[in-house]
Amino acid sequence: MTSAVTDALNSLSVTETNSTTANAIPKYTTWIRVLEDIGDWNLTDAEELGIPRLKLHTGDILKVEERRPQNDFWIGSNGKDTGSFPIDPRLEPVVYSKVISLHDKTIDLGEDEIPFRAGQVMDVVAVLSNWRVRVSFDSISSNGKQRFQGIVPLILMDPIPPEGMTDNPKPESDPDAIDQFRRWKRVPEFSVRVLSDYKAQSEKEIDLVVNDIVVVTKVWAEVYYYGSKNGHFGGFSASHVSKDLSMSTRPPYHRYYVRVMWDYLSGTHNQMNLVSNEIIEVMWINPSGWWEGRSRDGKRRGLFPANYVRRVVDARAAL
């Protein structure tokens, strides 16, 4: 197990829901693809409990039988044998368009992670590395309806079946047919500009700083890139960059206002919080969908998602 995955597991502080709430959360079958042969791991806890180690081969499809994050392993079946397996980046949970949280997680959040309660249904924005997924969802609080977007750990999620299905179907098991949309694709080199800072989550990733230029050489499902920056090579989330290399596209006139449709909690230090119904003055527009603006009192300034706002056509309404 990589240090990044171990650190992620150790950082989790999970509050179990009460039995009524827990029993009300629908349970779905979780399937996991084996992307590479894995034989270099050792689960002492499982062996002490008399649970055999499951052999993992490229193309295998595992059905999760029991989750044991407190022991750093799960129990699953490959159709022939049942045994323990590690939470490892060479294993890929099969995720569709939505997930549901199985537990609360409101403290000890990592970079760009967001809090959530058990039973929260979330829209999947992008599947990242190391058992993480970027999601968005609406939540009702004392402050009203809020829209959250950020990263959550897949070990606390169940994938929700595709529309029209009552459970998640077993995916393709042929190694040569493993969902080509999710495989690395080597592409003609292209450059991207960094829109928001990103801290590498493992030794296989690279740090990103706003306005850095990164040369991309491989793409994973259009949501994760591999490239080089200043001689350093590694992966990073595509949501932090733009293919548009210009610093900005200026608004059509010197005053450009938008009204906030939903609350937004910033995920990084260079983003700004948004409060529903407030007016924001736009400083620059980027085609990637991340704009820069400032609050009317001038106390907040930063990047924000353009799909959370609507233009105020009559500038006098913004005054």
Side-chain angles (χ1 to χ4, degrees), residues 44-279:
T44 304
D45 289 350
E47 293 175 352
E48 290 178 349
L49 294 171
I51 303 173
R53 185 175 70 175
L54 196 62
K55 294 181 179 180
L56 305 175
H57 302 288
T58 302
D60 283 354
I61 299 295
L62 308 182
K63 179 182 179 182
V64 176
E65 304 288 354
E66 183 180 347
R67 298 167 183 250
R68 291 198 176 198
Q70 70 275 19
N71 297 119
D72 287 3
F73 70 86
W74 286 2
I75 297 174
S77 169
N78 59 11
K80 298 179 181 178
D81 303 306
T82 299
S84 62
F85 63 90
I87 308 302
D88 189 282
R90 291 167 291 182
L91 303 179
E92 178 187 73
V94 178
V95 178
Y96 298 97
S97 61
K98 295 180 183 292
V99 294
I100 185 170
S101 55
L102 302 177
H103 305 279
D104 292 353
K105 188 176 190 306
T106 58
I107 60 176
D108 293 338
L109 301 175
E111 183 178 2
D112 224 7
E113 287 190 346
I114 51 176
F116 53 84
R117 295 293 184 184
Q120 177 68 58
V121 174
M122 311 177 190
D123 294 316
V124 175
V125 176
V127 179
L128 310 176
S129 62
N130 289 351
W131 291 60
R132 298 175 302 137
V133 62
R134 183 174 290 277
V135 299
S136 65
F137 61 89
D138 293 328
S139 181
I140 306 298
S141 68
S142 58
N143 297 323
K145 186 177 180 181
Q146 288 183 299
R147 173 68 64 87
F148 291 85
Q149 181 169 335
I151 294 173
V152 297
L154 274 173
I155 60 173
L156 301 183
M157 304 287 148
D158 247 358
I160 292 180
E163 187 174 356
M165 295 187 177
T166 57
D167 199 2
N168 292 309
K170 182 177 180 179
E172 179 62 60
S173 60
D174 182 354
D176 294 329
I178 294 179
D179 196 353
Q180 293 299 316
F181 179 69
R182 293 295 315 284
R183 282 182 169 240
W184 282 113
K185 295 180 181 178
R186 187 168 292 280
V187 296
E189 289 187 359
F190 64 90
S191 296
V192 294
R193 181 179 293 279
V194 178
L195 299 177
S196 57
D197 291 350
Y198 178 74
K199 183 68 175 177
Q201 303 296 303
S202 77
E203 65 277 6
K204 294 183 179 180
E205 294 190 323
I206 55 175
D207 293 335
L208 301 179
V209 178
V210 172
N211 287 329
D212 279 349
I213 299 296
V214 185
V215 178
V216 177
T217 56
K218 292 191 294 185
V219 173
W220 182 283
E222 301 299 332
V223 300
Y224 195 76
Y225 292 163
Y226 180 89
S228 63
K229 184 194 73 168
N230 298 328
H232 298 282
F233 292 81
F236 55 93
S237 171
S239 62
H240 289 266
V241 302
S242 170
K243 293 180 181 179
D244 174 39
L245 299 183
S246 63
M247 286 293 291
S248 66
T249 300
R250 290 290 173 184
Y253 53 88
H254 70 288
R255 294 286 184 182
Y256 189 85
Y257 296 100
V258 293
R259 185 180 299 278
V260 176
M261 306 303 295
W262 304 283
D263 291 349
Y264 174 75
L265 295 179
S266 62
T268 60
H269 68 85
N270 62 317
Q271 295 178 12
M272 66 181 293
N273 294 333
L274 299 179
V275 179
S276 178
N277 209 41
E278 75 170 324
I279 300 298

